[in-house]
Amino acid sequence: MQRQWATRCEQQAGWQQYLDQRWQQLCSNSPEVVLETLEEAFEDNEAPSAAVGVTVDEVSLVVLVPSVDQVVPERMPTTTQAGNLSLRKLPQRDRAAYYKQFVCGQVVVTVREALAVAPAIASARVAVLRQDGPDSYGRPRVSCLLAAKFDRESLNGVQWQTADAARIVNDTSTELLLNQRARTGDLQPLNLATEPALAELLSAVDLAELTGEQ
């Protein structure tokens, strides 16, 4: 029993030493440790997310969202004046507003999770991608719908229970890039030709790895 106890104590000490080293590396923003920690944290996210780089105390994130047709129905249940159930067709502007809330919600969730598990990260840059299906050559087409920077301090005091996701993104982010169609509010792809840094970030994304496809 004494030998077994001594062996277990040595194992515990070794494990604790390893965990202490990892924590110190995480708190000093070691890129490898931060990226590994975020990869594990993002595994169960609704929208596939990934950390693609760490520079000093800033992390770069990408979030892959589905198309509007995959998350927002064309009709919503409602009732008539007589109290009967009905499926009302959503106006295009309302449908676009719901989709914007969904996209911004995925951004907020990803940023909060990243800052929660990487305590020394001071800011996060996020790019939201949408998979637009294959082109005529069978290659996946991806567009960028939103890009923004979030500082940790800007999230302090946010009324999470009452503020909607789109308002939170608008109020707490800087360098926000968002392209909405004037008449309907539909999110349109960003022009990456005028955003070389963003284009470079997206070129580093392995889409198959992000979606878990082989």
Side-chain angles (χ1 to χ4, degrees):
M1 289 180 62
Q2 290 178 344
R3 285 197 300 270
Q4 289 290 335
W5 178 256
T7 299
R8 296 296 182 266
C9 287
E10 290 177 1
Q11 290 178 342
Q12 182 188 30
W15 293 333
Q16 187 63 55
Q17 183 180 16
Y18 169 77
L19 292 174
D20 290 342
Q21 290 174 348
R22 294 282 293 188
W23 176 251
Q24 291 173 1
Q25 291 172 327
L26 187 62
C27 291
S28 62
N29 285 331
S30 168
E32 180 180 355
V33 175
V34 171
L35 294 179
E36 288 177 357
T37 302
L38 292 177
E39 179 182 3
E40 183 178 351
F42 291 159
E43 283 182 351
D44 60 350
N45 285 19
E46 179 182 3
S49 308
V52 295
V54 176
T55 304
V56 191
D57 61 354
E58 181 176 280
V59 65
S60 297
L61 309 171
V62 293
V63 180
L64 183 65
V65 297
S67 66
V68 60
D69 292 331
Q70 293 175 288
V71 292
V72 183
E74 292 185 349
R75 296 180 179 273
M76 293 288 280
T78 184
T79 55
T80 64
Q81 290 184 346
N84 299 319
L85 290 175
S86 172
L87 287 175
R88 177 178 63 90
K89 186 172 183 179
L90 276 176
Q92 191 171 358
R93 176 168 287 278
D94 290 351
R95 200 161 181 246
Y98 283 127
Y99 184 62
K100 181 181 178 182
Q101 289 289 350
F102 171 81
V103 170
C104 290
Q106 299 302 326
V107 170
V108 171
V109 166
T110 304
V111 170
R112 292 187 70 187
E113 187 170 25
L115 296 179
V117 301
I121 289 294
S123 60
R125 289 186 180 273
V126 186
V128 177
L129 309 182
R130 183 185 65 198
Q131 196 166 0
D132 295 330
D135 61 16
S136 56
Y137 297 97
R139 296 172 301 200
R141 293 181 301 134
V142 177
S143 56
C144 183
L145 298 183
L146 182 152
K149 177 184 177 183
F150 295 84
D151 293 323
R152 182 183 291 273
E153 291 183 356
S154 69
L155 300 180
N156 293 336
V158 171
Q159 302 298 303
W160 302 107
Q161 301 302 321
T162 55
D164 64 51
R167 181 171 298 178
I168 291 172
V169 169
N170 186 69
D171 291 346
T172 63
S173 69
T174 59
E175 304 176 33
L176 177 62
L177 297 176
L178 190 66
N179 181 21
Q180 288 185 267
R181 185 171 291 168
R183 184 178 64 85
T184 62
D186 288 320
L187 292 179
Q188 300 296 298
L190 299 175
N191 181 10
L192 299 184
T194 60
E195 302 293 339
L198 184 57
E200 183 179 359
L201 169 65
L202 300 187
S203 67
V205 177
D206 186 332
L207 190 61
E209 183 178 347
L210 184 61
T211 58
E213 298 177 355
Q214 299 299 325

